[in-house]
Amino acid sequence: MADQSGVGDQWQEGGDPANPGPPSDLGSFSLFNAIPEAEQLAIAALLRPAGFPAGQPIVREGEAGDALYLIRSGRANVVSRDLLGQERVLAAYGPGDHFGEMALVTGAPRSATVRASEPVEAHRLSSADFGRVEQACPAFTAQLRRQVDLLALASFLKKASPFAHLTPEAIRTLAGQLQAERFPAGAVIFNEGDAGDRFYLIRSGSVEISSGGRRLQVMEAGDCFGEVALLATEARTATARALADTEVLTLSK
């Protein structure tokens, strides 16, 4: 692991007089489960305290993502505007929760506003300091990227017609069960007559469904196929072939 001596010094140089040392409560955040203590200490040294009164936005939809937030106390709502311009509460955060990792890792603009619904005290990890964390804390970086992958997958599932009406909890559970597979253009995903052992959801690309050499259907991102295999023991009744480079999400029987 890289030398962390300068990391601790940074807290003293840029620290808040009311909070003169690195926080020691990272173990209470699920994001740090199974993260080695040495990495927790290194990350703690880079965190900065941040406070927000009730009603104040912590991040705004459309802004550049420049920080990850860990809520120590208080509550905040995730809000966005619908097609009619009405503000809707999408989720709520409380002590031990975190947000902002998607924008921090991907550099994408914030996808929603997070507003304090009561006074919030938080730890803040800036994008600049995250660059140092990536080099010095491989376990934390891997966990954070897994979280981002799950968030992206859950967001996709909410837009996929078979799953659009599932509860957020069901979406998260399903996202954790799916496996991604990639097929180059022309590759056979399964053949007619094969044993059916999994369900497929197209994340990107396109797939031809055919039988007896005759095209039956072309499926695009958001479409699913192979669901009969989860409910019966019958062999595949058609062949599925990637028409373009395609990524599918699979759920095993």
Side-chain angles (χ1 to χ4, degrees), residues 14 39 53 57 61-62 67 81 98 113 115 128 219 222 246 253:
E39 290 195 15
E61 186 172 1
R81 295 193 179 276
H98 62 274
T113 294
R115 181 181 297 119
M219 314 193 85
T246 297
K253 186 169 184 177

mmCIF file of all heavy atoms in Angstrom, residues 14 39 53 57 61-62 67 81 98 113 115 128 219 222 246 253:
data_model
loop_
_atom_site.group_PDB
_atom_site.id
_atom_site.type_symbol
_atom_site.label_atom_id
_atom_site.label_comp_id
_atom_site.label_asym_id
_atom_site.label_seq_id
_atom_site.Cartn_x
_atom_site.Cartn_y
_atom_site.Cartn_z
ATOM 1 N N GLY A 14 -5.947 21.379 6.535
ATOM 2 C CA GLY A 14 -7.186 21.925 6.014
ATOM 3 C C GLY A 14 -8.365 21.680 6.929
ATOM 4 O O GLY A 14 -9.497 21.846 6.524
ATOM 5 N N GLU A 39 -7.201 1.192 5.358
ATOM 6 C CA GLU A 39 -7.855 1.986 4.319
ATOM 7 C C GLU A 39 -8.869 2.942 4.933
ATOM 8 O O GLU A 39 -9.007 4.088 4.494
ATOM 9 C CB GLU A 39 -8.526 1.073 3.287
ATOM 10 C CG GLU A 39 -7.537 0.306 2.418
ATOM 11 C CD GLU A 39 -8.191 -0.290 1.181
ATOM 12 O OE1 GLU A 39 -9.320 0.115 0.847
ATOM 13 O OE2 GLU A 39 -7.558 -1.158 0.545
ATOM 14 N N PRO A 53 -28.571 23.141 6.835
ATOM 15 C CA PRO A 53 -29.832 23.367 7.557
ATOM 16 C C PRO A 53 -31.002 22.741 6.811
ATOM 17 O O PRO A 53 -30.915 22.452 5.612
ATOM 18 C CB PRO A 53 -29.947 24.892 7.587
ATOM 19 C CG PRO A 53 -29.198 25.343 6.369
ATOM 20 C CD PRO A 53 -28.061 24.372 6.208
ATOM 21 N N PRO A 57 -30.531 22.477 -0.306
ATOM 22 C CA PRO A 57 -30.021 21.406 -1.168
ATOM 23 C C PRO A 57 -28.571 21.076 -0.825
ATOM 24 O O PRO A 57 -27.760 21.976 -0.598
ATOM 25 C CB PRO A 57 -30.131 22.002 -2.575
ATOM 26 C CG PRO A 57 -31.118 23.115 -2.450
ATOM 27 C CD PRO A 57 -30.918 23.668 -1.070
ATOM 28 N N GLU A 61 -29.735 18.590 -8.981
ATOM 29 C CA GLU A 61 -29.863 17.871 -10.245
ATOM 30 C C GLU A 61 -29.219 18.677 -11.375
ATOM 31 O O GLU A 61 -29.430 19.884 -11.490
ATOM 32 C CB GLU A 61 -31.342 17.637 -10.556
ATOM 33 C CG GLU A 61 -31.594 16.768 -11.770
ATOM 34 C CD GLU A 61 -33.055 16.391 -11.929
ATOM 35 O OE1 GLU A 61 -33.883 16.823 -11.098
ATOM 36 O OE2 GLU A 61 -33.367 15.657 -12.888
ATOM 37 N N GLY A 62 -28.399 17.991 -12.193
ATOM 38 C CA GLY A 62 -27.746 18.638 -13.320
ATOM 39 C C GLY A 62 -26.372 19.187 -13.023
ATOM 40 O O GLY A 62 -25.601 19.460 -13.948
ATOM 41 N N ALA A 67 -18.454 15.290 -5.243
ATOM 42 C CA ALA A 67 -18.212 14.781 -3.892
ATOM 43 C C ALA A 67 -19.157 13.634 -3.561
ATOM 44 O O ALA A 67 -20.260 13.519 -4.111
ATOM 45 C CB ALA A 67 -18.375 15.897 -2.863
ATOM 46 N N ARG A 81 -38.039 16.387 -10.601
ATOM 47 C CA ARG A 81 -39.283 16.913 -11.166
ATOM 48 C C ARG A 81 -39.798 15.987 -12.264
ATOM 49 O O ARG A 81 -39.015 15.494 -13.086
ATOM 50 C CB ARG A 81 -39.080 18.329 -11.706
ATOM 51 C CG ARG A 81 -38.755 19.329 -10.614
ATOM 52 C CD ARG A 81 -38.868 20.765 -11.077
ATOM 53 N NE ARG A 81 -38.572 21.681 -9.977
ATOM 54 C CZ ARG A 81 -39.464 22.057 -9.069
ATOM 55 N NH1 ARG A 81 -40.707 21.614 -9.140
ATOM 56 N NH2 ARG A 81 -39.123 22.897 -8.108
ATOM 57 N N HIS A 98 -25.301 6.945 2.428
ATOM 58 C CA HIS A 98 -24.354 7.719 1.625
ATOM 59 C C HIS A 98 -24.968 7.984 0.259
ATOM 60 O O HIS A 98 -25.885 7.286 -0.174
ATOM 61 C CB HIS A 98 -23.026 6.974 1.472
ATOM 62 C CG HIS A 98 -23.164 5.660 0.758
ATOM 63 N ND1 HIS A 98 -23.501 4.497 1.414
ATOM 64 C CD2 HIS A 98 -23.026 5.323 -0.545
ATOM 65 C CE1 HIS A 98 -23.562 3.505 0.546
ATOM 66 N NE2 HIS A 98 -23.284 3.978 -0.654
ATOM 67 N N THR A 113 -31.774 15.968 -7.164
ATOM 68 C CA THR A 113 -31.427 16.880 -6.076
ATOM 69 C C THR A 113 -31.588 16.144 -4.750
ATOM 70 O O THR A 113 -32.541 15.380 -4.562
ATOM 71 C CB THR A 113 -32.351 18.112 -6.097
ATOM 72 O OG1 THR A 113 -32.085 18.859 -7.289
ATOM 73 C CG2 THR A 113 -32.126 19.013 -4.884
ATOM 74 N N ARG A 115 -31.991 17.147 -0.816
ATOM 75 C CA ARG A 115 -32.250 18.306 0.028
ATOM 76 C C ARG A 115 -32.427 17.868 1.478
ATOM 77 O O ARG A 115 -33.117 16.871 1.756
ATOM 78 C CB ARG A 115 -33.512 19.037 -0.445
ATOM 79 C CG ARG A 115 -33.861 20.278 0.371
ATOM 80 C CD ARG A 115 -35.132 20.950 -0.105
ATOM 81 N NE ARG A 115 -34.986 21.431 -1.471
ATOM 82 C CZ ARG A 115 -35.727 21.017 -2.484
ATOM 83 N NH1 ARG A 115 -36.661 20.109 -2.291
ATOM 84 N NH2 ARG A 115 -35.534 21.512 -3.688
ATOM 85 N N ALA A 128 -11.422 15.354 -6.013
ATOM 86 C CA ALA A 128 -9.963 15.461 -6.058
ATOM 87 C C ALA A 128 -9.327 14.455 -5.110
ATOM 88 O O ALA A 128 -8.347 13.776 -5.451
ATOM 89 C CB ALA A 128 -9.529 16.878 -5.695
ATOM 90 N N MET A 219 -35.196 -8.032 -31.100
ATOM 91 C CA MET A 219 -35.384 -7.437 -29.781
ATOM 92 C C MET A 219 -34.279 -6.423 -29.524
ATOM 93 O O MET A 219 -33.125 -6.612 -29.938
ATOM 94 C CB MET A 219 -35.413 -8.513 -28.701
ATOM 95 C CG MET A 219 -36.301 -9.692 -29.057
ATOM 96 S SD MET A 219 -36.664 -10.782 -27.683
ATOM 97 C CE MET A 219 -38.068 -9.937 -26.970
ATOM 98 N N GLY A 222 -33.862 -3.192 -23.373
ATOM 99 C CA GLY A 222 -35.064 -3.138 -22.546
ATOM 100 C C GLY A 222 -35.986 -4.324 -22.751
ATOM 101 O O GLY A 222 -36.857 -4.590 -21.923
ATOM 102 N N THR A 246 -23.620 -6.946 -28.161
ATOM 103 C CA THR A 246 -24.768 -6.910 -27.262
ATOM 104 C C THR A 246 -24.366 -7.273 -25.837
ATOM 105 O O THR A 246 -23.579 -8.192 -25.624
ATOM 106 C CB THR A 246 -25.851 -7.897 -27.756
ATOM 107 O OG1 THR A 246 -26.322 -7.466 -29.043
ATOM 108 C CG2 THR A 246 -27.019 -7.987 -26.790
ATOM 109 N N LYS A 253 -31.910 -19.956 -13.496
ATOM 110 C CA LYS A 253 -33.080 -20.659 -12.979
ATOM 111 C C LYS A 253 -32.880 -21.010 -11.521
ATOM 112 O O LYS A 253 -33.844 -20.955 -10.723
ATOM 113 C CB LYS A 253 -33.330 -21.915 -13.813
ATOM 114 C CG LYS A 253 -34.620 -22.646 -13.462
ATOM 115 C CD LYS A 253 -34.917 -23.690 -14.503
ATOM 116 C CE LYS A 253 -36.260 -24.376 -14.228
ATOM 117 N NZ LYS A 253 -36.599 -25.337 -15.279
#
